Amino acid sequence: MERPAWAPRSIDISVPSVSRIYDFYLGGSHNFEVDREAARKAMEFMPGLPKIMQANRAFMRRAVRFAVDEGITQFLDIGSGIPTFGNVHEVAQTASPGAHVVYVDHDPVAVAHSQAVLEGNAGTDVVAADLRKPQEILAAPQVRRLIDLNRPVALLLVAILHFVEDADDPYGAVAELRDALAPGSLLILTHASYEGIPLPAERAEGTVGVYKDIRNPLIMRSREKIAQFFEGYDMVEPGLVAMPRWRPDTAPEDEDPYAFSGFAGVGRKA
């Protein structure tokens, strides 16, 4: 397999990557046949996976615009993935040109491509780090340069926590990040769940099995378990809901049924 120029030498391009699979679902070009093969296997069980990812991105953009409307101009996006059209910095800086955005990901392709996309944009940067090590993220020079933790920050954990197993204490990681943020900060979050998927859970389990096979377990949590990530935050209306129902731009009834899979919400730190 020929290695494209955008793929760092350090990565094994024969192993599927969650961020590159996500890129494929969104119609991106930064993925390999091994990623596309895994994605197609997952879609055999849940053909609407691209619709779920599109709904996820649409929610993210609405939530970023909401944050700017609330006066927040600092964004920390952990598990940011490979940049695609309408990414956080594009939405935030269109609404507020002076906004600062720091992306965080542990995938070398996502980090390398982010660096290329962000070149020349002084208000943005990217950190190679892991959500499971919050203190490393908070101490990163890129974060310290662009994010003032004494002022409100929008923390984005979009489609990332369902890749963190309970054994790795995702609740503890989210709490550490929360404790570092100033009052008035926002938590913007989406999470996969069997609830809302328009097919039987046992069929959806086939998709979960594909991710387990590529050693990136997909943890499908209940609405109640997802809500626990918002401990210490006051939920912003309409609360923790299906992605198309969070402050929609268009009628949710017009959305594809798969878009209602999982949950999205925004919380404000008191």
Side-chain angles (χ1 to χ4, degrees):
M1 185 188 307
E2 187 175 346
R3 181 183 298 271
W6 51 262
R9 303 297 306 178
S10 58
I11 70 165
D12 183 350
I13 61 176
S14 68
V15 176
S17 150
V18 165
S19 65
R20 298 195 307 267
I21 292 171
Y22 188 85
D23 179 68
F24 172 74
Y25 289 144
L26 291 173
S29 59
H30 287 77
N31 49 77
F32 303 116
E33 181 55 33
V34 68
D35 307 305
R36 296 188 285 273
E37 182 181 349
R40 286 190 288 263
K41 283 182 181 177
M43 289 170 64
E44 288 176 9
F45 299 98
M46 289 179 61
L49 279 167
K51 294 294 184 182
I52 298 173
M53 307 313 164
Q54 291 162 19
N56 191 77
R57 298 286 296 184
F59 159 77
M60 178 273 289
R61 291 191 286 267
R62 296 195 304 275
V64 169
R65 289 196 297 268
F66 169 78
V68 173
D69 289 344
E70 294 291 296
I72 293 179
T73 58
Q74 306 186 106
F75 296 84
L76 182 59
D77 184 0
I78 301 177
S80 51
I82 296 168
T84 57
F85 177 75
N87 225 44
V88 173
H89 73 283
E90 294 175 327
V91 178
Q93 292 177 345
T94 296
S96 178
H100 287 180
V101 178
V102 177
Y103 294 112
V104 180
D105 207 289
H106 67 12
D107 185 308
V109 170
V111 172
H113 194 52
S114 296
Q115 289 169 336
V117 168
L118 300 175
E119 188 174 0
N121 187 328
T124 62
D125 214 332
V126 59
V127 178
D130 194 312
L131 169 61
R132 292 168 292 189
K133 298 178 180 179
Q135 294 307 318
E136 289 186 12
I137 295 172
L138 295 168
Q142 301 93 321
V143 173
R144 297 173 71 88
R145 179 175 71 87
L146 288 174
I147 304 293
D148 180 359
L149 293 175
N150 294 312
R151 295 191 297 112
V153 175
L155 170 64
L156 288 92
L157 299 176
V158 175
I160 178 64
L161 285 164
H162 48 235
F163 291 115
V164 184
E165 298 179 85
D166 287 342
D168 289 323
D169 192 18
Y171 296 99
V174 174
E176 275 192 65
L177 291 165
R178 178 202 63 213
D179 292 347
L181 301 179
S185 293
L186 298 178
L187 172 61
I188 297 171
L189 181 153
T190 66
H191 198 296
S193 176
Y194 286 122
E195 298 174 45
I197 297 176
L199 46 75
E202 54 268 23
R203 183 165 177 81
E205 284 174 3
T207 291
V208 173
V210 172
Y211 280 91
K212 184 177 180 180
D213 288 344
I214 65 171
R215 299 182 182 178
N216 281 284
L218 179 59
I219 313 302
M220 305 289 268
R221 295 188 173 96
S222 67
R223 185 182 185 280
E224 181 182 8
K225 289 290 187 182
I226 297 166
Q228 290 176 17
F229 287 114
F230 287 95
E231 184 178 343
Y233 294 90
D234 297 323
M235 293 301 297
V236 169
E237 289 294 331
L240 187 62
V241 294
M243 292 177 287
R245 299 196 185 283
W246 197 91
R247 303 188 176 225
D249 295 326
T250 58
E253 294 74 22
D254 296 336
E255 293 283 349
D256 186 282
Y258 273 98
F260 295 85
S261 307
F263 293 97
V266 176
R268 181 182 287 107
K269 183 176 176 181

